[in-house]
Amino acid sequence: MSVLVFTENWDGKFKKLSFELVSYASGVGKMLNLSVTAVSIGKVDEGELMKLGNYGANKIISVNNEKLAVLDNQAYANVISEISKKENASVIIISNNNTGKAIAPRLSVHLRAGVGSGVSKLPLSLNPFTVYKRTYSGNAFAHLVIKSDVKILTLAQNSFDVVETPGNATIENLNPEVDGTLLKTVVKDIHKQSGKILLTDADIVVSGGRGMKSPDNWPPLVELATLLGAATACSRPVSDEGWRPHEEHTGQTGKIIAPNLYIAVGISGATQHLAGISSSKFIVAINNDKDAPIFEAAQYGIVGDAMKVLPKLVEAVKEIRK
Amino acid sequence: MKILVCISNVPDTTTKIKFAEGNTSIDTTGIQWVINPWDELSLTRALELKDDATSGVKSVTVIHVGPAASEPTIRKALAIGADDAIRVDAISSDAWFVAAQIAEVVKKEQFDVIMCGIESSDYNGSIVGGMISEFLGIPSVSAVSSLKFENGQPLMVREIDGGKEIVTVPVPFVAVVQKGIAKEPRIAAMRGIMMARSKPVKLVEPVAIDPLTEVVEFEKPTPRAACKFVDADNPSQLLDLLQNEAKVI
Ligand SMILES: Cc1cc2nc3c(=O)[nH]c(=O)nc-3n(C[C@H](O)[C@H](O)[C@H](O)COP(=O)(O)OP(=O)(O)OC[C@H]3O[C@@H](n4cnc5c(N)ncnc54)[C@H](O)[C@@H]3O)c2cc1C
């Protein structure tokens, strides 16, 4: 038996998320005394694949088939399901990102495997197999027992530390039969966001709310983000008003993120906003209302006018970065 | 073209979640139940498509797996504008169970598009839609932020890490929808509420399916330390804390 982990790539490269997944799989593997097999689909060179070995993958299956160039949920689930059976996988680990959400449930039906989605810790117990997962949009966590023989866990992004475990991984190249009739997704056009730190990948996020008053007031917030190597985000009314792009909307109905540091500027801290950011390791709030609920979620706060605080903060960062 | 919108019944998003029975369940006293926010948007989009004569969408049905107690949620969906509803009369024990029930219904009644929200705000599972599609062996597109039809062909925008793709699949298919699918949820008007009373709700007996997962305990998120306030005139103090105490910059 084995623990299987699906590691997506982005233009042939892995990122922190991939190493988190393999570190997590390795942790589960240790608990169960099983080896870890990573599955990669698409063109990834050997050097890149070998990186997965540094985080605990014992075997890396590299699937190369032109037919899988486009993400077709059905075809991908099929391929991963076949590999899971061949590898006799008892636990399958996938990211809880968009790709993971597209594949995990289909795979679940293939393998009659219960899914624990959005897990953020190693399993709490093996017998019964119990995982810790976010529920009620972060207002509660559940101990979920998975009763099926095969289990699928989708890991919440940025919830598990990357752990290096030096070892030797072997690479197996695989060109599986892909049932052409399953390839039904046709991509007509692609728009890539380039040169920007992705909100879901960012370690630091600087976010603005309605308290920023006008889209014209964003430059110091963006400058702060740039200086800190951070991504920018916003509350829902801000994206609804068109002050900032929709991709930046965080919260219940936007992106759910878990950066190491979230700086909320002029955001009141409504439950629906907190639903998207409450897993951040540290929250800083800047708000002119000392009673704003965001201060209950924050570890550090400044009560003050954002228009005055932001420029000072920018200067202070420049000072320490000298 | 017929659209089926899957709706789930969740506590209002401002609810303070409390537990009952030794933390094994949610204390439902005083909870205001609403249509899951994503499902409300998905229903809104389905109705917009039906309103647009060029889309080819002729009817919008909602489906819910739940006991009679969740009937008000179904009536609300009908009041917003769904033509009819199906309720599978069962306690929705887990995503596997719910998806299997919905798939059974779809096997008997033809739908061209099945819409599901990307997650429910209670279990945050993000799995029901994908499972339905695999039970039926039909395509699914996930993280859909726009859906329209051109000459009977669906065109969708799906969000990928760091971008968007315009995709199409043949009907029937499952669209798992997210932000952007509709701007504001449609609200029931008085006329809609009156009409909803006489709209048909078909009751379906569940098929025997064993759930694969079970919540055995709930816990509260770890409480955070009280907020440390820093003087607004001295932001370098904040940076000092972030560097030396939190160690995040
Ligand atoms: C079903 C549903 C889903 C929702 N989903 C989301 C979601 O995903 N994300 C989301 O964000 N919201 C969501 N909302 C909306 C949410 O309830 C709040 O309305 C929203 O988060 C408020 O945004 P805000 O904090 O930017 O604005 P406000 O609540 O208006 O707060 C502005 C804050 O700025 C402060 N302020 C004002 N002037 C200044 C100044 N000069 N300097 C510093 N501070 C200042 C004020 O004190 C206030 O605290 C949802 C609501 C519903 C019903």
Side-chain angles (χ1 to χ4, degrees):
Chain A
M1 287 205 288
S2 66
V3 173
L4 196 93
V5 52
F6 171 62
T7 46
E8 183 182 358
N9 71 81
W10 293 265
D11 299 322
K13 297 279 177 249
F14 295 122
K15 57 187 183 187
K16 188 171 148 239
L17 160 72
S18 330
F19 307 133
E20 270 168 30
L21 281 168
V22 180
S23 302
Y24 183 84
S26 164
V28 175
K30 280 194 191 107
M31 287 176 78
L32 290 162
N33 221 350
L34 296 176
S35 67
V36 174
T37 302
V39 178
S40 162
I41 299 182
K43 260 206 196 78
V44 181
D45 67 37
E46 203 176 302
E48 191 69 13
L49 287 171
M50 285 308 280
K51 284 185 188 167
L52 301 176
N54 298 341
Y55 302 93
N58 304 102
K59 178 173 170 183
I60 298 151
I61 298 182
S62 173
V63 178
N64 251 311
N65 188 315
E66 272 307 308
K67 289 180 184 163
L68 298 171
V70 163
L71 171 65
D72 182 283
N73 303 346
Q74 203 168 3
Y76 267 57
N78 236 19
V79 167
I80 299 172
S81 166
E82 286 310 312
I83 296 175
S84 302
K85 285 183 205 154
K86 214 178 82 210
E87 294 294 310
N88 200 5
S90 60
V91 181
I92 301 166
I93 289 152
I94 306 181
S95 172
N96 192 36
N97 68 356
N98 281 337
T99 309
K101 287 176 184 173
I103 300 171
R106 300 202 71 129
L107 193 57
S108 154
V109 174
H110 265 272
L111 300 167
R112 208 181 174 282
V115 184
S117 46
V119 300
S120 53
K121 283 184 186 175
L122 285 171
L124 301 174
S125 81
L126 294 178
N127 213 347
F129 195 92
T130 313
V131 295
Y132 180 85
K133 84 173 283 303
R134 177 177 179 274
T135 52
Y136 293 92
S137 304
N139 289 308
F141 286 83
H143 298 191
L144 183 83
V145 172
I146 306 179
K147 300 169 182 172
S148 49
D149 294 339
V150 180
K151 287 105 182 154
I152 297 176
L153 310 183
T154 71
L155 181 66
Q157 219 169 319
N158 210 10
S159 68
F160 197 77
D161 287 335
V162 169
V163 196
E164 289 208 36
T165 357
N168 268 331
T170 53
I171 298 181
E172 183 185 315
N173 287 301
L174 194 72
N175 189 350
E177 284 287 321
V178 174
D179 178 356
T181 63
L182 290 184
L183 297 165
K184 297 202 181 106
T185 309
V186 178
V187 173
K188 305 210 135 188
D189 207 355
I190 303 181
H191 302 280
K192 284 230 167 121
Q193 213 185 334
S194 54
K196 264 178 98 177
I197 303 169
L198 289 185
L199 190 46
T200 41
D201 289 344
D203 286 329
I204 304 179
V205 172
V206 186
S207 185
R210 203 145 50 181
M212 291 291 291
K213 299 281 176 9
S214 145
D216 303 334
N217 292 333
W218 248 264
L221 188 152
V222 174
E223 188 178 5
L224 179 64
T226 311
L227 287 167
L228 293 172
T232 48
C234 68
S235 68
R236 173 161 129 178
V238 165
S239 69
D240 281 353
E241 291 290 334
W243 292 2
R244 298 294 299 171
H246 283 293
E247 298 84 66
E248 291 195 358
H249 163 192
T250 47
Q252 178 119 42
T253 46
K255 289 214 168 67
I256 294 164
I257 54 172
N260 294 335
L261 175 61
Y262 183 78
I263 304 179
V265 189
I267 293 177
S268 61
T271 25
Q272 297 96 348
H273 186 79
L274 298 178
I277 61 138
S278 61
S279 299
S280 307
K281 303 222 166 57
F282 288 90
I283 297 173
V284 169
I286 301 172
N287 197 302
N288 64 1
D289 172 9
K290 68 170 182 13
D291 296 322
I294 187 76
F295 288 122
E296 280 161 41
Q299 287 74 63
Y300 302 111
I302 296 181
V303 179
D305 181 351
M307 297 316 121
K308 299 207 177 92
V309 176
L310 277 176
K312 282 188 195 151
L313 202 50
V314 165
E315 287 316 309
V317 177
K318 282 187 184 156
E319 201 55 43
I320 61 164
R321 287 288 145 95
K322 258 186 197 159
Chain B
M1 198 118 50
K2 288 172 69 184
I3 300 186
L4 181 70
V5 179
C6 304
I7 56 171
S8 153
N9 190 25
V10 299
D12 176 273
T13 50
T14 55
T15 309
K16 286 256 172 296
I17 298 297
K18 285 189 241 118
F19 309 133
E21 301 171 274
N23 295 346
T24 56
S25 67
I26 296 296
D27 180 358
T28 54
T29 30
I31 284 186
Q32 188 81 19
W33 297 91
V34 298
I35 303 177
N36 179 43
W38 295 118
D39 304 345
E40 210 177 14
L41 288 171
S42 132
L43 174 61
T44 301
R45 183 59 193 152
L47 295 170
E48 286 169 1
L49 286 166
K50 192 189 146 194
D51 290 347
D52 172 6
T54 65
S55 74
V57 173
K58 294 280 180 274
S59 71
V60 176
T61 303
V62 293
I63 186 165
H64 174 69
V65 180
S70 48
E71 196 93 357
T73 301
I74 296 176
R75 288 288 161 204
K76 193 175 164 205
L78 292 171
I80 293 170
D83 298 299
D84 56 355
I86 301 169
R87 179 168 68 82
V88 180
D89 191 20
I91 306 282
S92 53
S93 30
D94 79 339
W96 174 268
F97 179 89
V98 170
Q101 299 299 339
I102 295 175
E104 278 307 311
V105 171
V106 178
K107 277 179 200 161
K108 293 191 194 95
E109 304 189 24
Q110 295 297 308
F111 290 97
D112 304 288
V113 187
I114 298 153
M115 293 175 77
C116 284
I118 194 147
E119 68 167 26
S120 66
S121 62
D122 51 3
Y123 284 89
N124 305 134
S126 301
I127 33 191
V128 170
M131 281 181 176
I132 295 173
S133 65
E134 191 62 47
F135 276 125
L136 296 169
I138 61 176
S140 61
V141 182
S142 193
V144 173
S145 60
S146 161
L147 165 65
K148 60 182 180 184
F149 291 92
E150 271 178 24
N151 307 319
Q153 191 193 39
L155 279 183
M156 281 169 272
V157 176
R158 76 168 166 194
E159 191 163 325
I160 51 170
D161 250 16
K164 293 183 170 71
E165 287 177 345
I166 317 281
V167 304
T168 184
V169 290
V171 287
F173 66 96
V174 174
V176 180
V177 307
Q178 57 137 11
K179 181 183 159 65
I181 190 71
K183 208 164 176 338
E184 288 281 324
R186 205 174 265 201
I187 299 165
M190 203 55 213
R191 202 174 106 84
I193 297 169
M194 301 295 286
M195 277 167 57
R197 293 193 189 138
S198 56
K199 284 181 180 172
V201 178
K202 183 168 160 185
L203 211 59
V204 174
E205 282 304 313
V207 287
I209 299 272
D210 287 331
L212 299 183
T213 61
E214 185 189 357
V215 173
V216 290
E217 193 181 327
F218 284 104
E219 58 179 82
K220 282 266 154 204
T222 327
R224 288 176 181 269
C227 186
K228 275 189 192 168
F229 286 94
V230 170
D231 183 19
D233 292 320
N234 190 10
S236 50
Q237 197 193 338
L238 173 67
L239 297 181
D240 183 47
L241 289 165
L242 293 177
Q243 263 187 322
N244 302 314
E245 192 177 82
K247 300 189 167 59
V248 284
I249 62 167

